[in-house]
Amino acid sequence: MRKHLSLVAFTAGLLLAVGYADQTKNRVTIPANKTNPTDGRQMYNSYCAPCHGVDGRGRGPAAQALKSPPVDLTALARNNRGKYPDSHVMAVLQFGTEISAHGSEQMPVWGPIFSRMNVANSQEKDLRMSNLSRYLQSMQVK
Ligand code: HEC
């Protein structure tokens, strides 16, 4: 079964890359394939790679259409004095980025999306976020 996520107002290039537009509502629907909540790589490739790239370096097919570039996710540890910032990543997934709080809105806020994937099991969201974060950790360059 396929679920569809509605994410508000992305740019046209992104629509071509990862979804299609419902122009009457100015919304993009990203077909969110049902992924395994324990499989960080599968979730990353479905939900993150369109912007951040399969290799995490920020050059996904949709990246050029974004106003602010997706960050290089392989450098999170290097940019944090060598320590992978797990709690920061969890907060970004749950609440969105600080930039988006100031109006960018290019990075989807994943917590509510993951919640809607399985409303009957509220722990699945946490499982998804922690397994995604662990997968990001495995991508870090030294
Ligand atoms: C629609 C494009 C898009 C998608 C899809 C996307 N991101 Fe992002 N992401 C961005 C952009 C752009 C930024 C830069 C900050 C901003 O503009 O909000 C960002 C920033 C981030 C940051 C913040 C890094 C920091 O140093 O604060 C993290 C972590 C992150 N993304 C992880 C993810 C993960 C994990 C996924 C998949 C679940 C994902 N992103 C999906 C576009 C995207």
Side-chain angles (χ1 to χ4, degrees):
M1 200 193 83
R2 288 193 128 196
K3 277 199 179 177
H4 287 84
L5 307 175
S6 290
L7 301 175
V8 183
F10 287 145
T11 55
L14 181 57
L15 313 191
L16 293 175
V18 297
Y20 54 87
D22 176 348
Q23 297 191 327
T24 56
K25 288 201 221 98
N26 193 27
R27 260 166 201 262
V28 180
T29 304
I30 295 181
N33 298 322
K34 184 72 179 163
T35 52
N36 184 339
T38 65
D39 190 338
R41 176 196 292 266
Q42 187 190 48
M43 288 189 287
Y44 179 85
N45 286 336
S46 297
Y47 306 142
C48 320
C51 294
H52 290 282
V54 171
D55 66 1
R57 291 179 188 272
R59 292 188 295 252
Q64 287 187 328
L66 299 173
K67 270 180 285 171
S68 48
V71 296
D72 179 352
L73 294 178
T74 68
L76 293 173
R78 194 170 59 196
N79 294 338
N80 189 47
R81 291 188 235 119
K83 189 178 180 303
Y84 176 72
D86 182 57
S87 54
H88 172 71
V89 170
M90 293 294 275
V92 166
L93 289 176
Q94 177 72 68
F95 302 114
T97 58
E98 281 151 45
I99 300 172
S100 69
H102 295 104
S104 144
E105 287 185 6
Q106 303 236 287
M107 163 74 184
V109 183
W110 291 96
I113 297 171
F114 292 150
S115 293
R116 284 195 294 273
M117 285 182 183
N118 188 351
V119 284
N121 179 0
S122 58
Q123 285 168 349
E124 187 180 298
K125 178 192 75 176
D126 299 331
L127 191 64
R128 286 184 182 279
M129 295 199 316
S130 64
N131 284 316
L132 263 169
S133 184
R134 207 162 307 159
Y135 182 67
L136 257 50
Q137 184 167 17
S138 76
M139 287 181 165
Q140 298 309 301
V141 292
K142 289 282 170 321

PDB file of all heavy atoms in Angstrom, residues 27 50 94 104 131:
ATOM      1  N   ARG A  27      -0.045  22.662  -3.115  1.00  0.00           N
ATOM      2  CA  ARG A  27       0.615  21.683  -2.285  1.00  0.00           C
ATOM      3  C   ARG A  27       1.330  20.677  -3.142  1.00  0.00           C
ATOM      4  O   ARG A  27       0.913  20.404  -4.253  1.00  0.00           O
ATOM      5  CB  ARG A  27      -0.433  20.872  -1.518  1.00  0.00           C
ATOM      6  CG  ARG A  27      -0.622  21.299  -0.126  1.00  0.00           C
ATOM      7  CD  ARG A  27      -1.892  20.657   0.370  1.00  0.00           C
ATOM      8  NE  ARG A  27      -2.375  21.404   1.493  1.00  0.00           N
ATOM      9  CZ  ARG A  27      -2.162  21.046   2.746  1.00  0.00           C
ATOM     10  NH1 ARG A  27      -1.516  19.960   3.015  1.00  0.00           N
ATOM     11  NH2 ARG A  27      -2.594  21.781   3.719  1.00  0.00           N
ATOM     12  N   PRO A  50      16.139  12.756  -1.906  1.00  0.00           N
ATOM     13  CA  PRO A  50      15.751  13.684  -2.977  1.00  0.00           C
ATOM     14  C   PRO A  50      16.405  15.049  -2.827  1.00  0.00           C
ATOM     15  O   PRO A  50      16.748  15.685  -3.819  1.00  0.00           O
ATOM     16  CB  PRO A  50      14.232  13.786  -2.829  1.00  0.00           C
ATOM     17  CG  PRO A  50      13.828  12.467  -2.258  1.00  0.00           C
ATOM     18  CD  PRO A  50      14.955  12.099  -1.310  1.00  0.00           C
ATOM     19  N   GLN A  94      12.212  16.329  14.657  1.00  0.00           N
ATOM     20  CA  GLN A  94      10.964  16.522  15.391  1.00  0.00           C
ATOM     21  C   GLN A  94      10.326  17.886  15.113  1.00  0.00           C
ATOM     22  O   GLN A  94       9.136  17.993  14.885  1.00  0.00           O
ATOM     23  CB  GLN A  94      11.232  16.378  16.892  1.00  0.00           C
ATOM     24  CG  GLN A  94      10.023  16.628  17.775  1.00  0.00           C
ATOM     25  CD  GLN A  94       8.997  15.506  17.689  1.00  0.00           C
ATOM     26  OE1 GLN A  94       9.230  14.400  18.131  1.00  0.00           O
ATOM     27  NE2 GLN A  94       7.848  15.796  17.098  1.00  0.00           N
ATOM     28  N   SER A 104      12.357  29.688   6.113  1.00  0.00           N
ATOM     29  CA  SER A 104      12.790  28.984   4.908  1.00  0.00           C
ATOM     30  C   SER A 104      11.792  27.890   4.509  1.00  0.00           C
ATOM     31  O   SER A 104      11.380  27.794   3.367  1.00  0.00           O
ATOM     32  CB  SER A 104      14.189  28.398   5.095  1.00  0.00           C
ATOM     33  OG  SER A 104      14.296  27.155   4.441  1.00  0.00           O
ATOM     34  N   ASN A 131      16.326   5.644  14.223  1.00  0.00           N
ATOM     35  CA  ASN A 131      17.028   4.851  13.209  1.00  0.00           C
ATOM     36  C   ASN A 131      17.540   5.715  12.061  1.00  0.00           C
ATOM     37  O   ASN A 131      18.602   5.429  11.498  1.00  0.00           O
ATOM     38  CB  ASN A 131      16.138   3.715  12.703  1.00  0.00           C
ATOM     39  CG  ASN A 131      16.065   2.585  13.716  1.00  0.00           C
ATOM     40  OD1 ASN A 131      17.084   2.186  14.280  1.00  0.00           O
ATOM     41  ND2 ASN A 131      14.878   2.090  13.972  1.00  0.00           N
TER      42      ASN A 131
END
